[in-house]
Amino acid sequence: MKRILIFLVTFCAFSALTPTIAKKKVQNQQTDREYWCQEAWKMAQPVLENMAKGELQKNMQTEFSPSFDSRNRKVVYMETFGRLMAGIAPWLSLPDDDTVEGRQRKQLREWALASYKNSVDPSSPDYLCWGAAGQNLVDAAYIAESFIRGYDALWVPLDQVTKDRYIAEFKKLRSIEPPYTNWFLFSSIIESFIAKAAGLKEYDDYRVMTTIRKVEEWYVGDGWYADGPVFAFDYYSSYVFHSMYLETLQNMIDAKANTRLEYKKYYDRALKRAQKYSIILERFVSPEGTFPVFGRSIPYRLAALQPLALIAWQQKLPKELTNGQVRAALTAVMHRMYDHQQNYNEGGFLTIGFCGHQPEVADWYTNNGSLYLTSLSLMPLGLPANHDFWTCPAEPWTQVKAWNGQSFPKDHRWADDIQTKDRW
């Protein structure tokens, strides 16, 4: 009875605050998971179907910021592929089944594996522009991250020639000097992946160690990281820091690296910070399914909520957050962003903007390949359809409770309670 009452309260809140969304769900009888899969397919199909045939660079309808700089414009294709795969890798890692979703997922995985091969095959029209610009370090990191998130399904099945080509391309990127910012993590995610996939003799330990020490220096408290020595109020804690720092540390644990650093303690502390930041992100979601728009790179759209999606997929949500409220909040934002705005161009590729086509909000480094970072919000699709995240009743998230006279938990500062020191 309690679960039924929670559902009724939540549905009433949704109906009052977002009537269009509630009406659409009643008409279509579409589950939240079906809606997420629909959006994932819509985003991924034009990219992967074309790239699997070696036709992405031929057919993609591209768009560049009005202030785009002088870098090689072919970076758009690596950005598109790497960022998309980082978001949908968990979903494509689920086992096959004969559902509509399962058939779509299997098709996308087959296209993805062919696309991975084409991207490092110099004879393919869709060979990516490895090393043509400093930007390649960024998006190679997202490709590495996709392998990390879908290791058994996306990395292991690749033929040895393709694997060797990836490791070689990743190593060549050591010639790119990262700026003194979140870019350090792009180096560390690549090098730590090499350690895991190719062995400890193959990776550059210094790039990993330096990144870890710098990220620790740049932590400013209560879940937030500064993007370099000076704090900037933007979503780079979401776009890069929490996810790539946790995954760098996990890779070093998986690789059984024996260095001065206590990777497990660093990981446990970083996880607590990510959990606190997830609480903040959940509280950012308004009753109407919106969240604050601030800082640079805002056309990355739902990538702003990546840590919340990551922690949900990894089933490590803090006790302050339930599966039902996180799923409901993320679903509401997706409906608000994707249902009624012009987020895709005529070719089916993302447009520049935050909620629709808004090229004026682009930064000088933005192209419409950059925007596929929004796929990072889809990581909970990596949980099977029968998981509690998908089957539990939707619950009102914090702002719905707060603005409707319901009880909601107080917020408080989180302090680090794990201390680390060099092992020797």
Side-chain angles (χ1 to χ4, degrees), residues 10 13-14 17-18 21 281-290 321-322 324-333 394-404 406-409:
T10 307
F14 289 174
L17 296 168
T18 53
I21 294 171
L281 291 177
E282 189 271 349
R283 285 175 177 255
F284 273 1
V285 179
S286 77
E288 298 79 17
T290 63
L321 300 177
T322 67
Q325 75 187 90
V326 171
R327 188 189 80 235
L330 289 173
T331 303
V333 177
E395 298 178 34
W397 55 96
T398 302
Q399 297 301 332
V400 172
K401 294 176 182 177
W403 289 96
N404 284 277
Q406 302 174 41
S407 296
F408 64 96

Side-chain angles (χ1 to χ4, degrees), residues 49 60 134 141 165 174 210 219 264 326 334 345 373 414:
E49 184 174 11
M60 182 175 176
R165 284 173 171 169
R174 292 169 182 168
T210 301
Y219 183 64
K264 184 61 168 63
V326 171
M334 288 181 187
N345 60 33
L373 215 61
W414 280 33

Side-chain angles (χ1 to χ4, degrees), residues 238-253:
S238 290
Y239 301 148
V240 182
F241 276 95
H242 282 292
S243 58
M244 288 197 173
Y245 191 38
L246 281 170
E247 288 165 326
T248 292
L249 293 168
Q250 185 62 59
N251 284 342
M252 300 313 295
I253 294 169

